[in-house]
Amino acid sequence: MTSWANLGLDLHLDLRGRSGVRAALTAALREDVRSGRLPPGVLLPPSRTLAADLGVARNTVADAYAELVAEGWLTARQGSGTRVAARAAAVTIGRPTRPTPPPRPVHNLMPGSPDAASFPRGAWLASTRRSLTEAPSDAFGPGDPRGRPELRKALADYLSRARGVRADPDRIVVCAGTAHAVSLLGSVLGGPIAVESYGLHVHRDLLATAGVRTVPVPVDEDGARVAALASATVAGALLTPAHQFPIGGPLHPERRAAVVDWARDTGAILLEDDYDGEFRYDRQPVGAMQDLDPERVAYLGSVSKSLSPALRLGWMVLPDGLVDPVLTAKGIWERWVSVPDQLTLADFVTRGGYDRQIRLMRSRYRRRRDHLVAALAERVPHVRVSGIAAGLHAVVEVPPGDERRVLAAAADEGLALGALSVFRHPDSTDTWREGVVVGYGAPPEHAFAGALDALCRVLMR
């Protein structure tokens, strides 16, 4: 026979707050059976053992067992000990009910995510092994809020070569992604902050949480209409110059120069969100705006689109006067980004793995966008795809009044799409646009054709 001791089980009973030892023990056992903490069939300790554990008389335990047997909570048979009765089911009365989560979509065309199946696992694992083998011992001590020097040096070299950023490692601060960077800079700059009238609502929400008011700047096919900043009193402006999100146009060269001049004249800081700057398909990617004036532009980037948002790795290339305030806001210790991940990314970038992944995914996403545009032109000619050939998303404009209908039809098809209206600033005076934001990066290769067919069916309804 298996004994309680051999099972290696312990029984914690709370006898506090009840009068009388036997009554307290009986009530505690009854409650544990009722709640399911002691499930049906479980073998209870012998009365002698439990009495010794609790520091009570053996007869007290035996009497409590006998009462619960009589009530039907326990069973006792010669030779098999005392067990929780098989019919003693847990009662869930009073437990909060949680809503059933919505079913996962059959096809995911939500914007903002790369193809997770294309993450370079083998190359990343090789970089992890190398970087951890070669890492100095101090890498595994308290972190540096600036980030590991190996990564800051690798990023400075890469960003200078690939994005035209004037990047000194001492001006780079590693962070947990662009959202983290926006939150930190918002807390440092105060406010208000100008943002594009159509833009990522997550960034607006983060600034609002930090107590920073946002002021919308109108956008058109040439990006933000920066002339509107002349009448705004703001501490900075958050822009997406390479590929306006979500409308899709690049910031016109004359507007680039004008907004930098505005920042110089007013002392404001420009926050350049280069969220998918490497993914331009119709021409060589346009260099970063930061090169026009590194003392007025804070350059923000991450691996969320190029590798995976799961890594939570990003960076800021800061004007010299912002480095110390941002580090103060970030905190003394590095609490956000895993040092092994930083070391791995440094190796991955330095050895060319990052460039190879960018080239591979640039080719794949260009092919997907071409298929999307061609399929819509052939099968749904009444809709229009706006924006340049770049990035991981496209805006499909629909006739006035159709956005809700399209989203409802998409839900029927199990198709997840982004609503263009979600990205509109609540204080915007721009002309209302209707459409859906199609993220063609998220589906794995084998599923993209099916997702595209579902999108065409939805838009043809």
Side-chain angles (χ1 to χ4, degrees):
M1 181 181 66
T2 304
S3 73
W4 176 265
N6 290 336
L7 287 174
L9 300 175
D10 287 318
L11 184 59
H12 171 74
L13 294 169
D14 186 2
L15 306 184
R16 294 172 298 177
R18 294 181 172 100
S19 59
V21 176
R22 187 179 70 80
L25 176 58
T26 304
L29 285 168
R30 185 186 296 112
E31 178 59 29
D32 283 355
V33 174
R34 180 186 290 120
S35 67
R37 187 166 165 263
L38 290 175
V42 72
L43 178 64
L44 297 183
S47 57
R48 185 189 303 275
T49 303
L50 184 56
D53 288 344
L54 297 176
V56 301
R58 180 183 179 186
N59 286 343
T60 300
V61 177
D63 290 345
Y65 279 0
E67 183 174 339
L68 293 171
V69 168
E71 293 177 0
W73 295 106
L74 305 179
T75 61
R77 293 183 181 177
Q78 187 69 30
S80 63
T82 303
R83 297 177 181 270
V84 176
R87 291 181 296 172
V91 177
T92 58
I93 294 174
R95 291 187 181 180
T97 58
R98 294 182 176 89
T100 302
R104 296 185 64 180
V106 178
H107 303 290
N108 181 15
L109 290 179
M110 288 293 290
S113 296
D115 177 2
S118 296
F119 183 80
R121 303 183 191 206
W124 188 259
L125 179 59
S127 285
T128 300
R129 286 171 172 163
R130 274 194 304 268
S131 62
L132 293 184
T133 300
E134 299 170 2
S137 297
D138 68 1
F140 304 101
D144 184 333
R146 294 173 299 174
R148 286 298 303 177
E150 299 91 337
L151 178 56
R152 289 186 286 114
K153 172 63 166 61
L155 287 173
D157 293 343
Y158 171 78
L159 294 172
S160 174
R161 169 174 53 80
R163 301 296 299 129
V165 174
R166 283 192 263 174
D168 185 316
D170 289 338
R171 293 193 180 195
I172 293 178
V173 175
V174 177
C175 56
T178 303
H180 185 204
V182 168
S183 181
L184 287 170
L185 286 164
S187 67
V188 168
L189 296 176
I193 299 291
V195 297
E196 293 160 337
S197 60
Y198 278 83
L200 194 59
H201 51 87
V202 173
H203 290 168
R204 297 197 300 263
D205 293 344
L206 284 170
L207 290 170
T209 299
V212 177
R213 184 169 66 90
T214 57
V215 177
V217 177
V219 298
D220 58 24
E221 306 310 317
D222 289 324
R225 292 160 53 189
V226 298
L229 290 169
S231 59
T233 303
V234 293
L238 173 61
L239 304 174
T240 51
H243 184 213
Q244 200 284 324
F245 183 87
I247 303 302
L251 188 61
H252 192 280
E254 291 182 4
R255 295 184 183 182
R256 283 186 169 221
V259 77
V260 170
D261 287 342
W262 167 81
R264 288 173 181 154
D265 292 342
T266 63
I269 295 294
L270 301 175
L271 280 59
E272 179 178 10
D273 180 3
D274 198 34
Y275 69 99
D276 63 2
E278 298 101 335
F279 294 110
R280 182 74 184 261
Y281 311 131
D282 58 345
R283 53 162 292 169
Q284 192 76 10
V286 177
M289 185 174 68
Q290 185 262 8
D291 184 49
L292 295 177
D293 193 338
E295 294 305 325
R296 299 260 56 93
V297 182
Y299 176 87
L300 317 180
S302 78
V303 299
S304 292
K305 306 295 186 294
S306 53
L307 288 175
S308 168
L311 289 175
R312 306 312 309 147
L313 267 168
W315 47 85
M316 298 171 272
V317 184
L318 298 171
D320 187 55
L322 280 182
V323 174
D324 287 341
V326 167
L327 291 176
T328 299
K330 196 167 186 276
I332 298 174
W333 306 115
E334 175 53 70
R335 297 173 294 175
W336 299 95
V337 183
S338 159
V339 167
D341 283 346
Q342 291 187 54
L343 295 171
T344 299
L345 181 60
D347 181 272
F348 194 65
V349 171
T350 301
R351 293 178 180 268
Y354 194 69
D355 284 271
R356 288 189 291 273
Q357 182 70 6
I358 292 290
R359 288 195 297 270
L360 171 67
M361 300 314 295
R362 185 187 294 140
S363 174
R364 184 168 298 174
Y365 294 145
R366 175 177 183 169
R367 186 169 64 251
R368 291 188 183 188
R369 190 181 191 280
D370 289 347
H371 288 171
L372 168 68
V373 173
L376 294 181
E378 178 183 353
R379 300 169 60 181
V380 201
H382 68 279
V383 302
R384 173 177 173 264
V385 178
S386 67
I388 58 175
L392 279 69
H393 79 277
V395 171
V396 178
E397 298 183 7
V398 298
D402 269 12
E403 184 181 281
R404 287 188 179 182
R405 180 193 62 77
V406 170
L407 292 172
D412 291 341
E413 286 275 351
L415 175 64
L417 295 171
L420 182 57
S421 59
V422 168
F423 300 102
R424 179 185 171 91
H425 194 289
D427 299 330
S428 173
T429 58
D430 273 13
T431 301
W432 189 275
R433 297 170 178 255
E434 293 205 28
V436 290
V437 186
V438 180
Y440 49 79
E445 279 287 275
H446 71 274
F448 182 66
L452 189 53
D453 284 342
L455 176 65
C456 290
R457 287 195 300 272
V458 165
L459 294 171
M460 286 189 294
R461 288 192 184 185

